[in-house]
Amino acid sequence: MESHLPKKGIFTASVLQNRKLGDKFYRITIELENKAKNVFSAAVPGQFVEIDVSRLALPPENHVPAQYADASQRNVILRRPFSFADIMVSDTSVVAEILYCVLGPATLRMKTLKTGDIVSLIGPLGNGFSIAEKKKTSILIAGGMGAPPLVHLSGLMKSQCKDMEIVVFVGAKSVSDLAFFDLKVDKLIKTKVSLGEFDKHKIKTHISTDDGSAGSKGFVTDVLKDWLLKNKPDAKETIMYACGPEAMLLASAALSSEFKIPCQVSLERRMACGTGLCQSCAVKCLNKDDGSTFYKLCCKDGPIFWSDEVVWE
Amino acid sequence: MGIEHKRIDLSINLGKASLKNPLMTASGTCGYVDELDDFLDINQLGGYITKSITIKPRLGNDVPRIVETDSGMLNAIGLANIGVEKFIKEKVPLMERYKTPFFVNIAGQIIDDYVAVADKLSQCIQIAGMELNISCPNVKQGGITFGTDPALVKQITCEVKKVIRDKMLIVKLTPNVTNISTIAKVAVDCGADALSLVNTFTAMVIDIETRKPVLSNRTGGLSGPAIKPIAIYLVNKVYNEVAKPAGIPLIGGGGVRTASDAIEFIIAGATAVTIGTATFANPDGAVKIIEGMKGYCTRHKFSSITSLTGALK
């Protein structure tokens, strides 16, 4: 699976746009130049970049949300990993799109990036999802901030696998936690929600929120289970892809083994480097031959794993 | 100007080894052999110190293994490594691709472990020397750190020295002691060809929401810019009290990010300098430091970097 991956490196890119979306999200688009153009045009959904935010300024004090007042006073020395929401390749340019939330001292700095600013990035990193071209049905399961790489994946699948049925399940705590660029919510009929990214590819989406503020009420994996019971997809012709909080991935892994449908999960770990040097992002995996456990690295061997190779804790 | 930039001599003698410049990678931040290949030309480095190698493979600690702090980071990786057998079989031959001298960091839980690893590695012609990581707990004596007990340092250095053949022996000192010079003196008396300092400072970060330590190991080693002034002080102390009188070179490090940081260590008394945590954020940083050192020598009219060692007024 790794032979087709582009060779990673350290590059600079210029910011095209950095905009707030809804209450919690930001979308940044960056243009890759020179050598990075070739490298990033071959990046695979699920791969990621490490962005250097250590040199960025903080927003003015009155623009720092109260809950980050403490965090804003901390220095940042390590890069932060971000997956791609899309990579747009044209004859003249290669543009990567990243979605992020403000969660601490690094992303607080990131939101101050302006058009024309130069950022340093290391990538593309990790293995990325592997598209099962011959399967009939691909099921994508996105939880909260886990959605962006699945948007990227669905776009690529739609263009590469014309006959494949793609079904998307998107869940979040509440409507404002749905990580999308183009969220259409009918306030009167809260179940009538659609996500522009998938709409434009004509991909069917099932939306759910824990509090019922958009779509159906409940966990995304419960909605998926009902769908699996009702639609009974042929397990041999079906594959699942999941990205989201670890509890959601665990539930996806359980559905994978219950319905015998293979599932790729995108994991998240604390990383110092993203390139396999620091060994901090360990993922406990199962040796199927003798039942022993060992560690893989999320940054290098992942972040995409088969759900049945991970030891869920 | 007096001295031309390109005629500055950065080469140094580190005990038995000749290095083309003073910059080395610090153990545990640069992988086994070739991991930095995507980011820099390893041949440009003065020397390369590998991650810790133990007699048996080690899986390492549970996650979280790292946490960022203000201007630093804590790690408790747990010496995850493939073990000496696999290292010799798979990694040591890769060293033949490079002209840079390789030093292998060795670790253990009992003195016999260190001796066994050193004995095996001493038979590899590709290796210039070994660095003893004595910041490990000694399981035979209730987990006391080898490097904090002069009697243990004496025993471990003497025993390893016996099996190391023509290889160079570096002892890496822990700063977590009352008087680092006492330990340094013991190591030198037992035949260490060079000393490296400092290893990380034992530290803890607490999650105040859960009131638990962030790291699964509870404590970890603090590295990064936060420790640099303490490391400079300790290098200068050991230089004055032990290294200079004995004529033994020091490898200084701790929070080195820039050429000025490296120069500061050399002025304090170091012959060579390691870059560690900074490599995580900037894997090509070492090459920039080497260039910057030349610039300093040009400005201050030092035709050779060796005359700068211990030049503190």
Side-chain angles (χ1 to χ4, degrees):
Chain A
M1 168 151 104
E2 270 148 33
S3 58
H4 65 285
L5 294 174
K7 194 175 151 103
K8 63 181 180 286
I10 182 163
F11 303 103
T12 54
S14 61
V15 175
L16 293 179
Q17 210 179 54
N18 188 22
R19 274 203 189 159
K20 198 168 184 189
L21 294 168
D23 292 343
K24 296 185 178 163
F25 299 96
Y26 290 80
R27 171 172 54 175
I28 186 166
T29 47
I30 50 177
E31 178 160 13
L32 287 313
E33 280 143 6
N34 306 322
K35 234 175 101 183
K37 270 172 81 168
N38 283 332
V39 173
F40 280 83
S41 61
V44 175
Q47 284 198 290
F48 64 99
V49 282
E50 285 273 0
I51 299 183
D52 182 7
V53 296
S54 68
R55 291 154 218 233
L56 306 182
L58 279 166
E61 201 177 343
N62 58 335
H63 286 222
V64 174
Q67 70 266 40
Y68 300 118
D70 276 20
S72 70
Q73 295 181 52
R74 280 210 291 117
N75 285 326
V76 174
I77 63 160
L78 300 172
R79 288 170 183 258
R80 295 294 191 270
F82 298 91
S83 59
F84 307 109
D86 202 359
I87 291 180
M88 293 158 283
V89 183
S90 74
D91 293 343
T92 51
S93 70
V94 176
V95 174
E97 190 165 59
I98 288 164
L99 210 64
Y100 66 97
C101 292
V102 171
L103 287 174
T107 41
L108 204 51
R109 285 169 166 81
M110 204 155 137
K111 73 173 192 167
T112 64
L113 280 168
K114 298 183 301 294
T115 305
D117 285 352
I118 302 295
V119 287
S120 163
L121 39 96
I122 297 176
L125 300 168
N127 57 356
F129 291 106
S130 57
I131 297 180
E133 282 144 12
K134 290 180 182 138
K135 303 253 177 182
K136 274 189 193 145
T137 307
S138 285
I139 298 168
L140 277 52
I141 312 144
M145 262 316 278
L150 294 179
V151 174
H152 188 195
L153 178 68
S154 70
L156 203 72
M157 280 178 166
K158 204 67 193 174
S159 64
Q160 283 185 5
C161 319
K162 303 273 183 227
D163 300 325
M164 187 186 280
E165 179 196 21
I166 303 167
V167 192
V168 178
F169 294 83
V170 180
K173 277 188 191 148
S174 185
V175 62
S176 61
D177 299 303
L178 284 164
F180 283 89
F181 319 156
D182 193 6
L183 181 68
K184 298 183 190 78
V185 188
D186 188 323
K187 284 194 176 141
L188 296 173
I189 320 162
K190 65 183 180 189
T191 50
K192 199 180 161 198
V193 187
S194 70
L195 304 169
E197 286 65 40
F198 292 117
D199 283 356
K200 83 180 172 207
H201 295 308
K202 298 193 171 53
I203 295 171
K204 172 87 180 136
T205 51
H206 301 263
I207 292 167
S208 55
T209 47
D210 299 357
D211 64 0
S213 54
S216 47
K217 186 175 176 174
F219 291 141
V220 63
T221 40
D222 293 336
V223 177
L224 168 61
K225 184 169 182 174
D226 290 344
W227 186 90
L228 290 169
L229 289 169
K230 195 174 148 203
N231 290 274
K232 298 188 181 59
D234 179 353
K236 287 199 182 68
E237 296 294 337
T238 308
I239 184 163
M240 308 201 295
Y241 301 89
C243 185
E246 193 117 340
M248 187 210 86
L249 299 179
L250 172 60
S252 304
L255 290 175
S256 163
S257 62
E258 184 182 341
F259 289 87
K260 309 272 184 292
I261 300 171
C263 179
Q264 294 176 24
V265 293
S266 177
L267 291 179
E268 200 173 26
R269 288 288 182 275
R270 282 172 193 266
M271 292 175 186
C273 68
T275 56
L277 300 171
C278 73
Q279 310 260 320
S280 53
C281 57
V283 175
K284 197 175 266 181
C285 288
L286 181 72
N287 183 337
K288 287 176 191 164
D289 295 334
D290 62 5
S292 64
T293 59
F294 65 105
Y295 286 112
K296 285 190 172 184
L297 294 181
C298 191
C299 71
K300 218 170 110 216
D301 308 313
I304 314 301
F305 296 85
W306 290 103
S307 65
D308 63 353
E309 69 175 319
V310 176
V311 177
W312 300 95
E313 287 168 307
Chain B
M1 278 296 290
I3 307 163
E4 277 178 68
H5 186 76
K6 63 184 172 193
R7 294 179 71 181
I8 300 291
D9 181 10
L10 286 187
S11 69
I12 56 155
N13 285 318
L14 192 68
K16 297 169 186 170
S18 299
L19 273 55
K20 71 176 82 62
N21 65 62
L23 202 78
M24 307 173 81
T25 57
S27 177
T29 63
C30 57
Y32 292 107
V33 176
D34 62 345
E35 284 90 335
L36 285 174
D37 239 357
D38 289 333
F39 304 105
L40 51 76
D41 176 3
I42 289 172
N43 282 324
Q44 287 190 34
L45 298 171
Y48 192 107
I49 307 177
T50 72
K51 78 188 281 44
S52 291
I53 304 298
T54 52
I55 187 77
K56 293 258 166 62
R58 283 177 60 98
L59 299 177
N61 293 329
D62 283 341
V63 293
R65 293 176 173 186
I66 57 146
V67 56
E68 190 181 53
T69 66
D70 220 1
S71 299
M73 65 172 269
L74 260 63
N75 87 82
I77 305 300
L79 301 174
N81 79 99
I82 57 178
V84 70
E85 301 284 351
K86 206 170 175 189
F87 177 73
I88 289 175
K89 200 167 155 228
E90 293 176 11
K91 302 295 180 185
V92 170
L94 301 177
M95 295 173 184
E96 291 166 19
R97 295 184 198 165
Y98 310 102
K99 295 181 213 120
T100 299
F102 280 84
F103 300 87
V104 180
N105 183 289
I106 65 179
Q109 293 187 307
I110 54 170
I111 288 180
D112 290 350
D113 288 353
Y114 285 90
V115 174
V117 174
D119 184 37
K120 286 181 197 297
L121 291 171
S122 68
Q123 296 166 45
C124 303
I125 52 162
Q126 300 91 336
I127 294 168
M130 281 166 245
E131 182 184 63
L132 284 188
N133 174 1
I134 54 171
S135 303
C136 309
N138 176 356
V139 294
K140 269 202 184 156
Q141 288 184 18
I144 179 180
T145 307
F146 287 104
T148 60
D149 180 345
L152 282 172
V153 173
K154 181 179 178 183
Q155 199 186 347
I156 202 166
T157 311
C158 293
E159 295 290 321
V160 170
K161 186 77 183 172
K162 279 184 210 160
V163 300
I164 202 165
R165 296 187 170 87
D166 59 335
K167 306 294 184 200
M168 187 174 145
L169 180 62
I170 305 164
V171 176
K172 185 168 188 177
L173 305 176
T174 169
N176 303 305
V177 291
T178 312
N179 186 349
I180 197 167
S181 293
T182 310
I183 306 290
K185 177 118 188 8
V186 171
V188 167
D189 289 346
C190 295
D193 300 302
L195 300 175
S196 71
L197 65 162
V198 295
N199 209 324
T200 55
F201 290 79
T202 304
M204 182 188 273
V205 172
I206 297 168
D207 179 338
I208 60 168
E209 301 304 317
T210 61
R211 302 202 301 274
K212 289 177 183 168
V214 172
L215 298 178
S216 73
N217 190 54
R218 302 184 71 85
T219 61
L222 178 65
S223 64
I227 70 167
K228 198 194 80 181
I230 324 178
I232 292 282
Y233 160 70
L234 292 173
V235 165
N236 187 241
K237 178 178 163 72
V238 172
Y239 177 72
N240 288 329
E241 295 173 6
V242 181
K244 191 181 176 191
I248 292 288
L250 297 181
I251 303 168
V256 171
R257 257 196 309 192
T258 62
S260 348
D261 294 337
I263 294 289
E264 204 177 332
F265 272 98
I266 293 174
I267 293 171
T271 297
V273 180
T274 55
I275 178 170
T277 300
T279 299
F280 295 152
N282 292 300
D284 61 349
V287 175
K288 291 178 185 160
I289 291 179
I290 295 164
E291 202 49 36
M293 289 166 109
K294 270 191 187 171
Y296 178 88
C297 290
T298 310
R299 277 192 292 119
H300 289 269
K301 302 187 172 61
F302 282 96
S303 59
S304 164
I305 193 113
T306 52
S307 44
L308 197 58
T309 292
L312 181 67
K313 288 179 182 169

